[in-house]
Amino acid sequence: MKIKRIISILLILSTVFLLAACGEKNEEEVKAASGNDKETKLEDKVVIYSTHSEAMLELVATEFENETGIKVEFINLKGELAERVRAEKENPQSDVMFGGASSIFMELKEEDLFDKYEPSWGKKINPLFKDSEGFWFGTIQTPVMMFYNSDVISSEDAPKDWTDLSNQLYKDQLVFRNALSSSARATFSSLLQQYEKKNQLEEGWEFMKAMDSNTKQYYGSGSLMFQAIGRKEAGISFATLNSIIDNRTKNNLPLEVVDAKSGSPVITDAIALIKNAKHPNAAKAFIDFAGNAKMQAMFANKFNRMPTHPEAIEASPKWMANTKFEIMDVDWAALSTKQSEWMQKWDTEVKDTNKDFKK
């Protein structure tokens, strides 16, 4: 009886030790998943500057707060994002820059505005969608494509390539976003680069001037631009592919996408850690979270944003995997060194500023 009692006690003790060990392991796994180990203390909030929609930011903020308990404060700065980050260089008020074309991230990297940080998902995405030195990583790939309202323009008369936009056939049929929009900024610059690569930059500016003469209005808002197309005030524009599809499916606009012969630029929307951020550990946790496969898939299914993460593509709407189009050959690194200069010239010397939409 004494032997049985001793064995029972030993079994109970071994079970207690095993449960304790499992508890320690689970706690370690939780800490590792959130980046909260003994050396890393997460701050109680993180501040995000972004170009993404309020709805998209609300989604990621809610999901992140639910998982980590960290409060997210975000500001949607649209086309003024880069300027705001620059202005606060000496005293950053944000922790993370979330959204905007990779060419803008390249510019700001060269201006020493980011700290290097590779998220947990960084190695899984294509090198085309990330900085080779680890300063920024793409969360969304965004084709920018021409489109037209088929109630205004017939398929026979629709442009087949970007150069067609200078044809007088399209006088007052074009409406665009202004160059404060990251997609418009990247697209205008990409078009100029195609000429520069052939040592024909002056011809590129002539094309831009001719396109401007055909343009009826420039908008600071994508929704206003699509409304103008919907009202048949003009028939042709360009926009991110997801925006075109959104307006076709949700707003029943008769929009047709143009697969340009010379290709369409594919912008990488990225995320980066602001240098000298006030909440650096919470910022790193947010970057890990915002770009993981689960969140990228959620962005894809709720907002039609095409993921960079291959695992997220598998869980995304079918059109993303099935969409085929010519990709424009753009040297984004080279473009980042000239984009600001070119867009300043576009805004001050080439474009008719009287065509800027004023409320």
Side-chain angles (χ1 to χ4, degrees):
M1 293 295 292
K2 289 184 178 179
I3 292 174
K4 288 183 179 179
R5 186 179 180 188
I6 291 170
I7 291 173
S8 298
I9 291 171
L10 289 174
L11 286 172
I12 292 169
L13 289 173
S14 65
T15 301
V16 171
F17 290 138
L18 180 60
L19 289 172
C22 288
E24 288 176 3
K25 181 180 179 181
N26 288 338
E27 186 178 351
E28 288 172 2
E29 289 174 349
V30 170
K31 288 180 177 179
S34 66
N36 188 13
D37 57 25
K38 291 181 180 179
E39 276 74 41
T40 305
K41 179 176 174 58
L42 299 183
E43 300 86 3
D44 59 1
K45 76 172 183 178
V46 60
V47 181
I48 313 298
Y49 282 179
S50 182
T51 58
H52 293 309
S53 68
E54 298 287 327
M56 189 168 159
L57 292 171
E58 285 282 4
L59 173 66
V60 67
T62 300
E63 293 289 327
F64 182 67
E65 288 179 26
N66 288 343
E67 183 157 315
T68 65
I70 298 170
K71 181 175 175 55
V72 178
E73 295 180 4
F74 61 80
I75 302 176
N76 182 340
L77 289 162
K78 300 186 184 298
E80 300 174 2
L81 174 60
E83 285 67 27
R84 181 73 167 265
V85 173
R86 285 188 177 104
E88 296 176 357
K89 181 176 182 178
E90 300 305 320
N91 184 26
Q93 300 301 302
S94 64
D95 304 304
V96 176
M97 179 167 157
F98 183 32
S102 59
S103 54
I104 296 175
F105 280 78
M106 291 174 187
E107 285 184 38
L108 298 187
K109 172 194 167 184
E110 292 303 311
E111 296 172 31
D112 196 29
L113 286 162
F114 299 139
D115 272 332
K116 184 184 296 188
Y117 177 66
E118 180 173 12
S120 54
W121 46 270
K123 288 185 171 61
K124 296 184 179 181
I125 64 174
N126 191 307
L128 292 172
F129 302 134
K130 59 186 176 183
D131 177 50
S132 60
E133 296 180 313
F135 282 90
W136 58 263
F137 290 81
T139 57
I140 296 167
Q141 53 175 311
T142 309
V144 179
M145 305 186 73
M146 285 189 291
F147 68 93
Y148 61 95
N149 183 328
S150 59
D151 286 349
V152 179
I153 305 289
S154 69
S155 58
E156 293 79 14
D157 290 337
K160 306 300 186 289
D161 206 357
W162 297 94
T163 53
D164 294 340
L165 299 180
S166 63
N167 191 321
Q168 288 190 342
L169 173 68
Y170 303 122
K171 180 71 175 177
D172 290 333
Q173 285 295 339
L174 311 181
V175 288
F176 300 128
R177 294 289 307 278
N178 62 35
L180 284 176
S181 158
S182 60
S183 60
R185 188 179 179 85
T187 302
F188 290 142
S189 300
S190 296
L191 293 174
L192 282 167
Q193 190 185 67
Q194 305 312 299
Y195 287 92
E196 184 197 41
K197 289 191 295 187
K198 296 182 288 187
N199 295 316
Q200 298 174 349
L201 185 57
E202 285 307 311
E203 291 182 27
W205 285 115
E206 290 173 11
F207 157 73
M208 296 288 284
K209 184 66 177 176
M211 183 175 67
D212 173 72
S213 70
N214 288 337
T215 302
K216 189 172 185 177
Q217 201 94 64
Y218 295 98
Y219 291 93
S221 159
S223 61
L224 290 175
M225 184 189 79
F226 276 102
Q227 287 170 26
I229 291 284
R231 290 192 299 265
K232 303 180 184 180
E233 294 174 7
I236 301 167
S237 187
F238 66 79
T240 59
L241 181 56
N242 65 289
S243 295
I244 301 170
I245 290 174
D246 275 346
N247 278 276
R248 186 166 66 188
T249 57
K250 296 178 181 178
N251 298 327
N252 297 313
L253 296 185
L255 306 180
E256 295 295 331
V257 178
V258 177
D259 185 6
K261 291 179 180 178
S262 61
S264 299
V266 178
I267 298 169
T268 300
D269 279 73
I271 192 167
L273 174 65
I274 299 292
K275 187 168 186 178
N276 298 323
K278 290 181 170 60
H279 312 100
N281 297 325
K284 292 174 183 177
F286 181 85
I287 293 170
D288 281 334
F289 184 84
N292 67 27
K294 174 186 172 184
M295 284 309 305
Q296 286 201 28
M298 289 182 73
F299 294 152
N301 286 288
K302 291 181 179 293
F303 304 103
N304 267 344
R305 305 310 301 271
M306 192 179 295
T308 58
H309 200 303
E311 294 171 20
I313 286 281
E314 297 173 7
S316 299
K318 288 184 179 179
W319 74 261
M320 295 185 183
N322 297 335
T323 298
K324 307 295 180 186
F325 55 88
E326 290 294 322
I327 298 176
M328 184 181 289
D329 181 17
V330 179
D331 184 340
W332 294 106
L335 193 64
S336 70
T337 65
K338 299 176 181 179
Q339 182 172 254
S340 291
E341 176 189 344
W342 284 353
M343 288 302 94
Q344 183 176 10
K345 180 174 180 177
W346 164 249
D347 273 334
T348 59
E349 300 177 31
V350 179
K351 185 188 78 172
D352 183 352
T353 56
N354 292 318
K355 296 179 179 180
D356 286 331
F357 178 77
K358 299 176 178 64
K359 293 182 179 181

